[in-house]
Amino acid sequence: MDRWGAGSYEDTAAELEPMAEVAVAGLGLSGGERVLDVACGTGNAARVAMAAGARVTGIDTSERLVEVARERLPEGEFVLGDATEMPFADGEFDAAVSVVGVIFATPAERAAAEVARIVRPGGRVAITSWLPRGPTYDVIVLMREAVARVRALEDPAPDHWSDRAAVERTLGPYGTLTVTEHALPRPRRSPEERWERRERNHPMWIAARSVLEPADEWEALRASSIAAMRDGEGLEGEPSYMLTVLERAP
């Protein structure tokens, strides 16, 4: 099942472009290097890396999004695959990047090991992950709680990558880590418009609606989510994320 191919993730991906710029900048590319965009989606990070002169490959579990990336960036190579078992040789890439993508791969420890494995000694890895604060995070918590009331969650929340200590335990053995926090600029929209775009376009929310609407839980989630977004309006640095850069040990 192509879960991330549902709806129009392109809408969300467009808002994440500034995050891709920050993540790729963290790699310090010098041109001509081989870079892997892990859980590439529509290829935001791949596009930025190509602009920096890199030779780019992307991998994603969504067949539709891989096709979108291929059409968007015909000069790149994009393949279907899982971040926990990638079809690449040890040290095949000079660098890897993942913009809020690999954080959804489970188990997290296996995904981290794979990302480190495919990058050569002395290479770099840059991963962005949401921080557990602010109204955007609050709304996701509301959604997951609502789904959990109806049925068991199929996947754990990607909280591992939001916990600096957990990330250090997972990636630290592979080299030196640098962790920084950033704010994501976004278009100014009303809470109602933000909700409407999510329920229409975002694969995660489309999946939640398929569970909650038949159980008469969807409208209650809509009301509580809009209220949470309205209460959080004007919070500085919302939404915020963490950039983890790993420099592989020589």
Side-chain angles (χ1 to χ4, degrees):
M1 179 181 178
D2 190 354
R3 292 183 302 168
W4 286 92
S8 180
Y9 186 71
E10 294 90 323
D11 182 75
T12 298
E15 295 189 357
L16 297 179
E17 288 180 356
M19 190 188 293
E21 297 276 355
V22 171
V24 174
L27 295 176
L29 298 176
S30 58
E33 294 178 291
R34 287 206 66 193
V35 176
L36 179 64
D37 185 356
V38 182
C40 64
T42 63
N44 277 348
R47 179 190 62 80
V48 179
M50 286 179 185
R55 295 172 292 148
V56 178
T57 300
I59 185 170
D60 201 280
T61 58
S62 170
E63 185 174 0
R64 190 184 75 79
L65 294 183
V66 165
E67 288 300 323
V68 170
R70 286 171 177 162
E71 292 178 6
R72 186 184 183 197
L73 301 165
E75 64 274 36
E77 177 187 7
F78 296 92
V79 300
L80 194 64
D82 194 301
T84 62
E85 191 173 356
M86 294 190 283
F88 307 115
D90 294 359
E92 185 170 340
F93 296 91
D94 298 296
V97 61
S98 188
V99 176
V100 290
V102 74
I103 65 173
F104 290 98
T106 55
E109 294 80 5
R110 176 61 182 165
E114 273 291 273
V115 171
R117 178 187 68 79
I118 56 86
V119 172
R120 64 169 174 78
R124 289 90 60 214
V125 175
I127 296 172
T128 62
S129 52
W130 297 115
L131 287 167
R133 59 174 181 251
T136 295
Y137 176 77
D138 293 342
V139 169
I140 291 174
V141 170
L142 288 172
M143 181 265 285
R144 295 189 66 83
E145 290 175 345
V147 171
R149 287 195 295 270
V150 176
R151 73 175 189 194
L153 292 174
E154 295 179 357
D155 299 308
D159 295 336
H160 176 98
W161 296 96
S162 300
D163 182 335
R164 181 166 180 168
V167 172
E168 288 176 347
R169 288 195 304 272
T170 302
L171 281 180
Y174 300 103
T176 303
L177 296 183
T178 303
V179 179
T180 53
E181 295 186 9
H182 304 264
L184 177 68
R186 67 177 182 195
R188 183 69 176 171
R189 297 190 176 103
S190 70
E192 291 79 6
E193 184 180 0
R194 288 159 62 190
W195 171 269
E196 189 274 334
R197 294 174 75 95
R198 284 177 181 168
E199 70 174 358
R200 184 182 71 231
N201 297 318
H202 200 291
M204 191 165 65
W205 290 87
I206 291 171
R209 185 173 189 173
S210 72
V211 174
L212 297 176
E213 201 162 47
D216 294 324
E217 293 271 358
W218 185 247
E219 292 305 318
L221 177 62
R222 180 199 303 268
S224 60
S225 297
I226 289 174
M229 286 187 279
R230 185 170 290 115
D231 289 344
E233 283 186 324
L235 290 180
E236 186 175 358
E238 211 297 302
S240 54
Y241 65 95
M242 183 166 75
L243 170 67
T244 301
V245 176
L246 165 70
E247 184 175 350
R248 290 282 279 118

